Amino acid sequence: MSQRRVALSFEFFPPKTPDMEQRLWQAITALEPLKPRFVSVTYGAGGTTRDRTHSTVARIRANTKLEPAAHLTCVGATREEIDEVARRYWLAGVRHVVALRGDPPEGIGQRYTPHPGGYAYAADLVAGLRRAADFQISVAAFPETHPEASSADADLDNLKRKIDAGADTAITQYFFDAAAFLRFRDRARARGIKAPIVPGLLPITNFKQTVSFSRRCGTSVPDALHKRFVGLDDDPQARHAAAVEAAAALANELIAGGVDMLHVYTLNRAELTRDICAAIGIAPPASAAA
Ligand code: FAD
């Protein structure tokens, strides 16, 4: 099969239990042959996974050839505490940080209050990391506008502040409307944002949960997706096929629009991610790897 040139990165979350840990490492091992640019590990709301994120990232650094990236947020910690986390990453050989404000510990939609003595927003964290060490820094971007932003333009100005503070790349919130991403990319370019903006691709594993989460984070769910997933709740195979088909259709539209990098929210599931990559011609099918 001819393979297309699209650079991948994969996002994982740190495991809570030994079973989840096993699944994570199976996923990392299965996805390593796809040669992602980097693999990132999230940081639980309010810093709740600080140690688990650190140990997962350090283990990827030590035991694989993958380039790990550590997510880091501003929530619930002083600048000194965050600087110390960053210093530990640097000492562990980790060179890439995904710098985020984070959501309030009470959850999305609750009022965000900066920690006294902490970094208030992601742009402040980026500036702090730049002062700390020569990290590669990625930040978040929102094609359909961050829900707390006063306007789409204000949100774009915030992205520019993060890039001007020293971020190298933006990774987007997931979305299902390729046109919304391509318009956002064009508006960002027109506003002088030259850094790469990498689309974040979320496979749909549980449609109801995706709809509910999307409502809270400002992602629109097109009618076509509702139609595609209706009646599949009790049919995991059909759901898997629909998830692959939907993600591949979105990725193909993005690639046709000039996108050459994709960040996949893997949900720690290797097979789904592999099948999506195979469906867009950037990996052999999962069965070929067995
Ligand atoms: P910011 O860039 O700080 O922006 C947050 C909001 O504040 C925006 O509405 C912005 O317009 C506004 N704003 C910015 N500066 C100011 C200012 N000076 N005054 C007033 N308003 C301002 N969350 C986690 O907890 N852990 C993770 O690991 C994680 N990983 C993520 C990875 C990606 C790729 C993405 C897209 C999101 C991730 N998130 C994660 C979620 C993220 O933390 C939330 O979406 C959060 O609400 C916004 O983070 P941010 O870095 O974009 O914040």
Side-chain angles (χ1 to χ4, degrees):
M1 131 193 246
S2 75
Q3 288 186 22
R4 288 149 102 179
R5 285 183 192 281
V6 177
L8 296 166
S9 51
F10 296 135
E11 184 169 310
F12 299 99
F13 59 87
K16 264 194 196 138
T17 63
D19 274 1
M20 287 166 80
E21 170 129 19
Q22 205 185 357
R23 185 161 76 162
L24 168 69
W25 281 95
Q26 278 167 354
I28 290 175
T29 308
L31 294 175
E32 189 168 6
L34 301 193
K35 298 191 168 55
R37 289 186 303 131
F38 65 89
V39 296
S40 76
V41 181
T42 59
Y43 195 76
T48 46
T49 67
R50 185 183 303 183
D51 293 335
R52 279 185 282 134
T53 300
H54 189 279
S55 61
T56 306
V57 168
R59 192 171 157 195
I60 292 172
R61 169 83 295 163
N63 295 354
T64 73
K65 293 197 169 63
L66 295 164
E67 191 60 42
H71 291 217
L72 189 56
T73 76
C74 306
V75 176
T78 63
R79 288 173 180 234
E80 291 71 23
E81 286 164 339
I82 290 174
D83 291 351
E84 177 56 23
V85 175
R87 203 180 69 86
R88 282 177 63 208
Y89 277 125
W90 185 264
L91 292 176
V94 177
R95 298 291 177 261
H96 188 166
V97 175
V98 183
L100 305 140
R101 186 200 73 180
D103 285 314
E106 301 78 30
I108 299 179
Q110 302 304 308
R111 194 180 164 74
Y112 169 78
T113 316
H115 188 275
Y119 292 109
Y121 291 97
D124 308 308
L125 175 58
V126 171
L129 289 167
R130 267 283 155 263
R131 283 191 296 272
D134 191 19
F135 284 114
Q136 185 185 339
I137 303 173
S138 297
V139 289
F142 295 83
E144 296 179 270
T145 307
H146 185 267
E148 293 163 49
S150 55
S151 69
D153 282 347
D155 207 30
L156 211 48
D157 287 343
N158 179 51
L159 177 58
K160 181 140 187 351
R161 271 199 299 278
K162 294 193 276 194
I163 301 296
D164 291 346
D168 305 287
T169 307
I171 304 171
T172 75
Q173 176 64 285
Y174 74 87
F175 57 89
F176 300 113
D177 178 1
F181 170 83
L182 297 171
R183 276 195 305 273
F184 173 74
R185 183 194 60 185
D186 293 347
R187 286 179 45 238
R189 295 284 175 259
R191 229 168 173 86
I193 297 170
K194 298 196 180 80
I197 301 176
V198 182
L201 202 64
L202 178 76
I204 299 173
T205 51
N206 179 323
F207 189 66
K208 272 191 197 137
Q209 269 176 19
T210 303
V211 170
S212 148
F213 191 64
S214 300
R215 203 171 292 131
R216 281 179 284 145
C217 65
T219 295
S220 57
V221 182
D223 285 345
L225 272 190
H226 285 274
K227 287 190 188 121
R228 208 189 291 246
F229 282 88
V230 75
L232 303 186
D233 287 355
D234 299 322
D235 188 343
Q237 257 183 326
R239 271 207 321 270
H240 180 92
V244 171
E245 193 188 306
L250 177 59
N252 280 330
E253 271 192 74
L254 294 169
I255 294 166
V259 162
D260 58 4
M261 286 189 261
L262 290 171
H263 181 77
V264 186
Y265 295 104
T266 69
L267 310 169
N268 294 4
R269 289 167 184 245
E271 200 190 341
L272 188 54
T273 303
R274 268 202 88 99
D275 285 348
I276 292 166
C277 293
I280 54 178
I282 53 178
S287 52

